[in-house]
């Protein structure tokens, strides 16, 4: 089986689906001839031609708007927003149009499309190349929100997203494009090739939307995470020697609540980890649900490990990023009570 | 030179903000004698394959076909047969009657909201007549005429307005936010401007697929200020998209006159010049001119000669919507004094001048339309009016958020049903 | 003391502050000659002139963007977004610019401004005149989020917001502009004049930001609410005969956590009510915090009463709106456990 | 007629999507002989009080002052004295040296990111020279020349680039995202286009207050596609705002050539036509032309004659940033073959032609600039380079989110400090 990093896996998902479905059209800033600033769309224009793979004007609003029109026409847009930090000019079209179209037309017009965008910190990208705005999309009924954490999942989830009848916002944790970052920024970079989930089958396969993965089984507590934080969480519980169950959500909406409930009912303790700012982040939604549903199983408050409620400050990358120390403190807290 | 001491401009005039004001406010007597209205026939007609630049002089003129003598006098004369003209007239009359009935319905408390297009009937209907049956419109709320021109059942429109049991949109949309794929009418959005670049996207899809159907996007003068307007023109220009982009300049956006959208400095048609897009400015109260311009632009698009921006210059003769009372911000008699006239009257008189129509036939036709509208209303009201809605079918509220109902919506549906039955 | 409805109170806040401070500039769609579609700015252009009060093009993005430039210049923008449903085209400028300016410039440029916007349902406005998007702003560090529930508070909070050195998103519950709606849509409309908080002092006074109001004291449970839901909550607890403490948050960010904690520690039970869709709404943030901070006082899970995770459907106004029946069920639940 | 059967257009051509491609790709030999470059002096100069329309022919021409003989030959000749020219030349040389040093610093791992403006030095510096000291710029990341022209200390710029202890932005911004109010330089945003309508807003503020200071907004060719560009032009036109709006068309936006922003169909200067805004298109590698055009626009604005959109036509001679390698998408020798030449060389040769400069003086001045940049670098690096930052002052991370630190940030600050000390 080929070994791929996350970029290659995402690239492969494009190729596999585009070969099977002529209606898939890919566009975005710099994604054509050049193949995208992160190279996810490399080689696509060459293989599929200019009318299926092309550069777009620097207009995230326009990109989403024409995607709406294309979906209405009947082709399937698979677009890239260069950084999640730049998705806001497209927010109106996403919230008011993409998300609500099926509903407001009683199912007459649907919006199958995928909006891919790299998100998250850990790359010294400063305030406008580090944001994690996923929570802002989970509040919008009609959108699905997906975040992979490995090359295997990246390909399988992206194929699912492309084949899904609903619009999917697909956030790619850019810090782990090239290797599974565990939060120890002072240690040598690990490549994906050493990780089992870098074995990516050729051709078509899916990882279903709405299904979390229990990436580590345990009895002592449940850790909920997604994206880069899955790896940070795994490393942290290993280092603490905790018998933790770690769940990679993979899809934020619709959420795999069963897997979460089953786990928390078993462990009685829950820690949630995300990079995004704390207030009104998706971790709050998870905490709200866990305490609603598992209240009588909980032995301690549900804890949240998050980014701070500040913009992402360039030089303070590692003081902002919810790394091993923040994880450790929170793990101690959730276990102590 | 560099770092010039600001004191050097001690005598510079104080900067001033110019805030546009409409020429007339309540209490004033509107006087449109200053308005330059080119005579019908004074505007040349470039070939549909001409470079965009050749059309740009037309952006500050006004394509008109119906002359003061009610004859068609213009290189733009589309030379339509009398049946077509009569069909357009009938549709226009139907729209006006429909608007009046539904406005009244709202006033009677049968629904929450309504919007008329009075004075603008000569826009959607002839524009639609110029397109093919399967071209796609991305309309605003003032293009109800498109549906009527395409024969969409009046009762369907009313069902939507009443959010009743016959409403195919399942009671989810504000009245007049129609949608019908089969009639080439994209779902109207409450969010102004969004549909304009969507039209471009639809036409990009058609171009990608080598289709021959084109799209037509619609926007109001006020909404041209939205960023989406710029997206539409940018993408249309970059990819040479087969789309017709229409600005309906009815000179008002709720209480703001078109100067607040930039209309004091340039026409809306001129916006196209900066993108290298073909551009036409058209008397929107002249059904023949509207038809001709739309036809021109559609031929241009269909032959891969690129997009066209058309400004239809007209006047919003009534309030913005049932929530609006224009006497608060403009003279009540402005509509009557508006010099480009009543579009229905103009087309009617033209047909009479052609010897193809007369007052009796017009009265009979109007009565027929009225009967049809009333019949539709009766039929629709049998399916319910708004105040009776919202009790049945609560479970449907949770459909169509996604293709399938996910667990959390299923849970909420249970709750909602529980509430309804308690 | 004059009796005012909420519109008059907001209008008065404009006048009081604009008379005292020449730098305040008011603009927005239809707010000039006409005085705004809800009449909040009525008479301002006449009193303060065209260069301080003027209509804006229909461009919410442009309105916020020029407000940023004006704040940078040193005048104080007080702008109206006609409906909160139309704020999204301005979302990029709000999130990327307004919210982050003080931070990214180390305090060199600040963005004192108020963005007012009517929000919420209950008026048969359909999907695009009924939304409650406040939660999307509470996730953005750098913004303050304020929501009044009475004429007295509306004036006092708006004056505070205008005088605040930070940008404030000021959401106005349009359903209670003219009267305190308690959720019983089938009963006659009550005017503000019958409500004590319609007594609005003349001239300058403030209701401070960041301070909640305990609008009803009680021992049995705590209800957290804001905007229209304050009145719905009050009516519901009365009808249930519950000894509930009802807290009107008034400011969502920064939150008055002390008042909340004090109450929940006393009552041991907590219900949160908001109109917005449930998932990742501000109620989730409140639930997450309450269970974190008051876990060992809680006798039952924190409950949320919310709008559904669907767009706001026109004909189903009262099946969507979290009215008395939804409140009742939730109150029973939180008291039963 | 209406409802035409689509089968009638059975023979219509298949629609096609046009996807712009740059004329040359890696491997091609660029040939710019087709590029029409008007001779210096061929463009007329309207009065600054002229109606906007009088400037519109200039939107498709190119204001140039420096002729092939290196003399100033144009009605646009600003007739600057030699000291001013030498100051501009020196600033341009400083910018180029600064860019080279900082680029190298990034390559050495001393910081995370850098962006040069190589080949575009004749834009910011002469533009600034034409404005007054207290006018306000809303720049992009490629206008570092504005700061240097206004004498902002190089060491301050470097401190920002290193996010070090001297960084007045407290380590919070990506390198080159400068901000300095005292030097009339608004905070650069990472979000493209946002600053363009902000410039309009600043100038609206000035106009509301009856000030005499104006604003100048900057945007790249690529970023003109953002909705913010349209906001800027719309508000500027509506309120006749005293602002100068500059598009730096360096023909590339990362890997996308200007055709992807609409450059195939119209110039960027032409965008102004559609709004009724004055418009100039300028040789951006000609310092005198840039000066003259900016001066013209500033005088126009200051006298309440309205906004101007200026397109500076230039070429991005190097990569987009340190994260970019342009050999992946364009020929490596394209920059050298670019016919409008090196702006520094052109100004230098002009000064020599005037008898006001020579190679020795140029070499000496260059050496001085180099020394100054190196000295600043040394000084700045004493205050630290990026890899050493982010450990001290963690408590400051929570300042300036709001004027005061609210309780939740105080709590988070405690946590962050706890982490740092653990
Ligand atoms: C994004 C957005 N902003 C504001 C509104 C509120 N609004 C509805 S219609 C309207 C005026 C539109 O005027 P125009 O575009 O000229 O169209 P007309 O009503 O004249 O047909 C406004 C401001 C809206 N619906 N959407
Ligand atoms: C809103 C937004 N979208 C995308 C980007 C990513 N980006 C940074 S620079 C750039 C190209 C800009 O090109 P142009 O405007 O021509 O300026 P230039 O770099 O040529 O000076 C892009 C796409 C961004 N910073 N902001
Ligand atoms: Mg209008
Ligand atoms: Mg560029």
């Amino acid at each position: 089986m080929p070994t791929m990093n996350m970029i290659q896996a995402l690239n492969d998902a494009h190729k596999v689906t585009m070969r099977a479905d002529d209606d898939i059209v890919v566009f975005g800033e710099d994604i054509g001839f050049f193949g995208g600033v992160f190279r996810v769309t490399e080689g696509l224009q060459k293989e599929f031609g200019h009318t299926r793979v092309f550069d777009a004007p620097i207009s995230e609003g326009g990109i989403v708007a024409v995607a709406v029109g294309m979906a209405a026409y009947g082709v399937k847009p698979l677009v890239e927003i260069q950084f999640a930090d730049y998705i806001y000019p497209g927010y109106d079209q996403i919230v008011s149009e993409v998300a609500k179209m099926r509903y407001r037309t009683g199912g007459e017009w649907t919006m199958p499309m995928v909006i891919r965008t790299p998100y998250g910190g850990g790359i010294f990208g400063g305030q406008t190349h580090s944001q994690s705005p996923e929570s802002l999309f989970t509040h919008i009924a009609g959108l699905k929100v997906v975040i992979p954490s490995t090359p295997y999942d990246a390909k399988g989830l992206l194929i699912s997203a492309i084949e899904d009848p609903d619009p999917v916002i697909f956030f790619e944790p850019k810090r782990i494009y090239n290797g599974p970052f565990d939060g120890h920024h002072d240690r040598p970079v690990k490549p994906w090739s050493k990780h089992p989930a870098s074995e990516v089958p050729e051709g078509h396969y899916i990882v279903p939307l709405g299904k979390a993965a229990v990436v580590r089984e345990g009895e002592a507590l449940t850790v909920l995470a997604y994206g880069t934080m899955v790896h940070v969480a795994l490393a942290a519980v290993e280092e603490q020697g905790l018998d933790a169950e770690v769940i990679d959500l993979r899809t934020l909406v619709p959420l795999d609540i069963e897997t979460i409930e089953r786990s928390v009912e078993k462990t009685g303790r829950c820690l949630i980890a995300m990079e995004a700012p704390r207030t009104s982040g998706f971790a709050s939604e998870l905490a709200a649900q866990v305490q609603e549903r598992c209240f009588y199983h909980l032995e301690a408050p549900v804890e949240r490990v998050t980014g701070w409620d500040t913009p992402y400050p360039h030089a303070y990358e590692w003081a902002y990023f919810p790394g091993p120390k923040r994880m450790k403190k929170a793990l101690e807290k959730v276990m102590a009570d | 030179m560099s770092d010039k001491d600001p004191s050097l401009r001690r005598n510079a005039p104080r900067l001033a903000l110019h805030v546009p004001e409409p020429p007339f406010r309540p209490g004033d007597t509107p006087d449109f004698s200053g308005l330059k209205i080119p005579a019908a026939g004074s505007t040349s007609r470039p070939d549909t394959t001409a470079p965009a630049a050749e059309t740009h002089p037309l952006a500050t003129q006004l394509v008109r076909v119906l002359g003061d003598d009610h004859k068609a006098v213009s290189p733009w004369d589309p030379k339509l047969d009398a049946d077509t003209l009569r069909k357009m007239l009938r549709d226009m009359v139907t729209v006006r009657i429909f608007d009046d009935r539904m406005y009244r319905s709202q006033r009677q408390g049968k629904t929450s909201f309504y919007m008329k297009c009075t004075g603008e009937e000569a826009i959607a209907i002839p524009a639609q007549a110029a397109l093919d049956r399967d071209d796609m419109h991305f309309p605003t709320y003032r293009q109800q005429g498109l549906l009527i021109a395409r024969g969409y059942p009046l009762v369907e429109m009313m069902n939507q307005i009443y959010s009743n049991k016959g409403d195919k949109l399942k009671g989810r949309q504000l009245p007049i936010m129609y949608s019908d794929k089969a009639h080439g009418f994209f779902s109207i959005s409450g969010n102004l401007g969004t549909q304009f670049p969507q039209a471009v996207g639809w036409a990009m899809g058609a171009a990608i697929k080598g289709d021959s159907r084109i799209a037509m996007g619609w926007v109001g003068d006020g909404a041209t200020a939205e960023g989406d307007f710029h997206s539409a023109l940018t993408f249309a220009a970059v990819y040479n998209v087969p789309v017709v982009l229409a600005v309906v300049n009815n000179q008002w956006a709720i209480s703001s006159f078109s100067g607040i959208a930039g209309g004091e400095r340039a026409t809306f048609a001129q916006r196209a010049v900066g993108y290298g897009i073909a551009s036409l400015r058209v008397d929107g109260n002249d059904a023949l001119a509207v038809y001709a311009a739309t036809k021109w632009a559609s031929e241009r698009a269909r032959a891969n000669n690129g997009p066209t921006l058309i400004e239809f210059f007209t006047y919003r003769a009534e309030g913005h919507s049932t929530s609006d009372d224009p006497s608060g911000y403009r003279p009540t008699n402005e509509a009557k004094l508006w010099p480009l006239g009543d579009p229905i009257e103009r087309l009617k008189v033209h047909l009479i001048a052609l010897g193809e129509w007369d007052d009796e036939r017009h009265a009979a036709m109007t009565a027929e339309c009225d009967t049809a509208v009333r019949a539709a209303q009766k039929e629709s009201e049998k399916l319910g009016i708004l105040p009776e809605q919202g009790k049945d079918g609560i479970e449907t509220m949770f459909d169509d958020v996604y293709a399938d109902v996910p667990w959390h919506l299923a849970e909420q549906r249970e709750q909602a049903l529980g509430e309804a039955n308690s």
Side-chain angles (χ1 to χ4, degrees), chain A, chain B:
Chain A
M1 214 181 295
T3 293
M4 295 188 190
N5 64 25
M6 201 182 274
I7 291 167
Q8 293 161 330
L10 292 163
N11 183 265
D12 204 42
H14 281 75
K15 288 186 178 154
V16 167
T17 50
M18 292 180 78
R19 282 173 196 149
D21 182 354
D22 275 355
D23 287 340
I24 297 170
V25 175
V26 177
F27 57 104
E29 296 158 20
D30 300 296
I31 68 89
F33 187 87
F34 186 55
V37 296
F38 290 105
R39 332 294 307 146
V40 170
T41 58
E42 190 158 20
L44 300 183
Q45 189 176 69
K46 198 155 191 191
E47 177 170 351
F48 301 102
H50 278 69
T51 50
R52 288 186 64 197
V53 181
F54 50 86
D55 288 336
I58 303 175
S59 168
E60 294 76 13
I63 288 170
V64 179
V66 301
V68 170
M70 286 184 195
Y73 175 81
V75 296
K76 184 155 219 179
L78 167 52
V79 307
E80 176 176 302
I81 300 294
Q82 200 164 80
F83 285 85
D85 316 60
Y86 306 141
I87 204 166
Y88 308 115
Y91 199 62
D92 182 44
Q93 285 278 347
I94 295 173
V95 169
S96 305
E97 302 293 305
V98 174
K100 298 185 173 60
M101 196 62 70
R102 182 190 287 273
Y103 194 75
R104 82 178 195 217
T105 65
E108 182 175 60
W109 302 88
T110 63
M111 288 286 122
M113 70 170 70
V114 180
I115 299 177
R116 295 177 36 247
T117 189
Y119 87 100
I123 59 149
F124 277 95
Q127 305 194 10
T128 56
H129 303 86
S130 307
Q131 294 172 32
S132 296
E134 67 278 6
S135 314
L136 300 170
F137 296 85
T138 60
H139 188 49
I140 308 302
L143 301 178
K144 293 181 177 172
V145 179
V146 175
I147 307 185
S149 73
T150 66
Y152 180 90
D153 281 3
K155 179 173 169 185
L157 286 168
L158 184 53
I159 293 177
S160 284
I162 293 168
E163 294 174 354
D164 199 85
D166 292 312
V168 178
I169 317 292
F170 193 91
F171 287 97
E172 299 170 4
K174 67 174 99 69
R175 184 58 175 85
I176 58 171
Y177 268 153
N178 291 302
F181 177 64
D182 65 6
H184 288 288
H185 59 91
D186 37 8
R187 298 189 190 160
V189 182
K190 271 175 257 165
W192 273 114
S193 55
K194 304 246 163 79
H195 191 287
S198 70
E199 294 202 2
V200 175
E202 289 187 67
H204 184 278
Y205 71 93
I206 65 155
V207 173
L209 304 191
K211 284 271 160 248
V214 179
V215 290
R216 185 185 195 279
E217 295 197 1
E219 305 288 329
L221 85 158
T222 301
V223 182
L224 306 180
Y226 52 87
T228 305
M229 291 309 292
V230 172
H231 304 279
V232 177
L234 281 169
V237 299
E238 292 292 345
E239 286 157 22
Q240 305 295 301
L242 288 170
D243 184 22
E245 183 141 302
V246 179
I247 297 178
D248 177 356
L249 298 180
R250 299 200 292 204
T251 302
L252 275 54
V253 180
L255 187 65
D256 182 355
I257 193 70
E258 270 179 47
T259 300
I260 296 171
E261 273 187 66
R262 200 180 312 123
S263 179
V264 178
E265 284 174 11
K266 176 175 73 174
T267 63
R269 295 173 193 272
C270 182
L271 175 71
I272 303 161
M274 69 167 188
E275 286 181 62
R278 188 174 189 81
T279 301
S280 291
F282 192 64
S284 308
E285 175 61 28
L286 292 169
Q289 289 206 34
V290 167
Q291 69 84 30
E292 262 163 30
R293 290 168 186 273
C294 311
F295 186 77
Y296 298 101
H297 295 271
L298 283 177
E299 290 166 43
V302 181
E303 278 294 315
R304 293 176 287 162
V305 164
T306 68
W308 308 125
D309 281 316
T310 75
Y312 210 117
H314 177 245
Y316 293 95
E317 184 76 56
W318 303 121
Y320 186 96
F321 187 89
K325 288 181 175 178
R326 205 167 312 157
M327 286 298 301
K328 179 162 184 273
K329 268 250 164 101
L331 285 166
E332 283 166 7
K333 188 145 179 248
V334 80
M335 292 313 294
D337 283 302
Chain B
M1 65 148 289
S2 160
D3 298 309
K4 183 163 54 182
D5 182 350
S7 64
L8 290 181
R9 54 161 210 273
R10 220 177 288 122
N11 299 321
R14 285 165 65 90
L15 298 174
L17 194 77
H18 167 76
V19 178
E21 258 297 301
F24 316 112
R25 285 294 192 190
D28 297 339
T29 304
D31 172 7
F32 291 109
S33 59
L35 192 79
K36 269 188 239 122
I37 301 176
S42 63
T43 314
S44 70
R45 183 181 183 280
D47 195 82
T48 59
T49 63
E54 260 183 49
T55 67
H56 291 164
L58 280 76
T60 47
Q61 302 173 17
L62 202 62
V63 173
R64 305 181 72 216
V65 173
L66 289 175
D68 293 337
D69 57 356
H70 312 301
K71 299 252 171 73
V73 283
S74 171
W76 286 92
D77 179 9
K79 308 225 159 63
L80 296 173
D81 58 62
D83 279 348
T84 301
L85 295 176
R86 279 187 293 254
K87 158 92 163 75
M88 294 200 311
L89 183 65
R90 187 188 190 92
D91 288 344
M92 287 162 64
V93 167
T94 301
V95 166
R96 186 163 296 177
I97 294 170
F98 185 92
D99 275 356
D100 281 332
R101 297 294 312 168
M102 290 297 101
Y103 180 89
R104 206 174 303 193
S105 253
Q106 192 277 344
R107 285 289 184 256
Q108 292 166 343
K110 293 178 180 173
T111 191
S112 56
F113 183 77
Y114 191 71
M115 296 181 102
K116 295 173 156 192
C117 68
T118 314
E120 305 176 35
E121 295 90 347
I123 296 172
I125 287 162
Q128 168 42 35
L131 289 202
D132 284 354
R133 181 64 186 73
D134 55 0
D135 293 325
M136 183 62 68
H137 288 287
F138 286 75
T140 83
Y141 44 73
R142 252 185 257 286
Q143 278 85 52
Q144 51 266 61
L146 297 173
L147 283 172
I148 287 175
R150 275 184 172 163
Y152 188 64
L154 301 181
V155 65
E156 288 280 354
M157 295 173 73
M158 290 170 175
N159 292 344
Q160 197 283 324
I161 289 165
Y162 292 133
S163 281
N164 69 14
K165 281 188 248 319
D167 175 16
K168 59 177 284 208
L169 305 186
K170 306 181 187 173
R172 295 187 188 140
Q173 278 277 52
L174 198 67
I176 62 89
M177 300 285 176
Y178 316 108
S179 169
D180 197 71
K181 201 181 239 181
H183 288 78
F185 190 95
F186 189 70
S187 159
I188 295 173
S189 178
N191 299 73
L192 289 173
T194 48
Q195 72 288 348
F196 216 50
Q198 291 167 2
V200 175
W202 194 96
M204 286 174 74
I208 288 165
K209 286 307 205 180
D211 199 336
S212 66
R213 294 174 296 162
I214 63 170
M216 184 162 184
W218 297 83
V219 77
D221 51 313
T224 61
E226 291 285 2
D228 277 328
F229 179 78
H230 180 56
S231 296
L233 293 184
T234 301
F235 281 71
V238 168
Y239 305 108
N240 202 40
V241 177
V243 66
V244 181
L245 294 169
V247 177
V248 179
N249 175 11
N250 62 9
Q251 305 184 61
W252 289 92
I254 311 185
S255 76
S256 299
F257 87 120
S258 59
I260 297 293
E264 285 186 339
R265 312 249 160 219
T267 69
F268 294 96
Q270 277 183 284
R271 292 279 194 277
V273 176
Y275 301 85
I277 288 177
S279 177
L280 302 173
R281 187 157 178 272
V282 178
D283 177 350
N285 291 19
D286 174 344
L288 297 190
V290 170
Y291 181 100
T294 310
K295 188 82 193 165
W296 186 95
S298 73
E299 280 175 12
R300 183 176 181 83
R302 227 182 288 284
N304 285 316
N305 288 311
T308 303
L309 182 77
I310 310 179
E311 172 184 347
F312 294 118
F313 185 53
T314 181
Y315 182 88
R316 196 195 76 207
E318 304 225 4
H320 171 72
S321 72
T322 46
S323 312
D324 179 48
D325 174 8
S327 70
Y329 51 81
R330 68 181 193 190
T332 43
N333 56 348
E334 203 175 89
K336 273 191 217 87
L337 297 171
W338 172 241
L340 287 176
D342 178 339
I344 294 182
E345 192 61 20
R346 282 175 72 187
L347 182 56
K348 173 188 158 198
V349 177
H350 172 61
L351 266 164
I352 293 175
L354 288 177
E356 294 283 355
W357 199 240
D358 54 45
D359 282 324
E360 295 80 70
R361 279 197 274 177
H362 192 78
M365 182 267 276
T366 303
E368 271 172 46
C369 295
D370 190 67
T371 306
V373 171
R374 283 169 192 270
Q377 185 174 359
K378 210 171 217 173
E379 196 184 330
S380 177
E381 290 180 8
K382 272 193 217 139
L383 298 170
I385 56 173
L386 178 63
E388 302 156 358
Q389 309 309 312
K391 286 156 199 121
D392 298 339
I394 282 183
E395 65 286 356
T396 68
M397 271 178 67
F398 301 89
D399 296 338
D400 304 321
V401 181
Y402 301 95
D404 299 314
V405 179
W407 68 267
H408 65 287
L409 284 172
E411 265 190 21
Q412 293 176 21
R413 182 171 58 195
E414 282 317 295
Q415 277 184 58
L417 287 171
E419 258 174 45
N421 300 331
S422 72

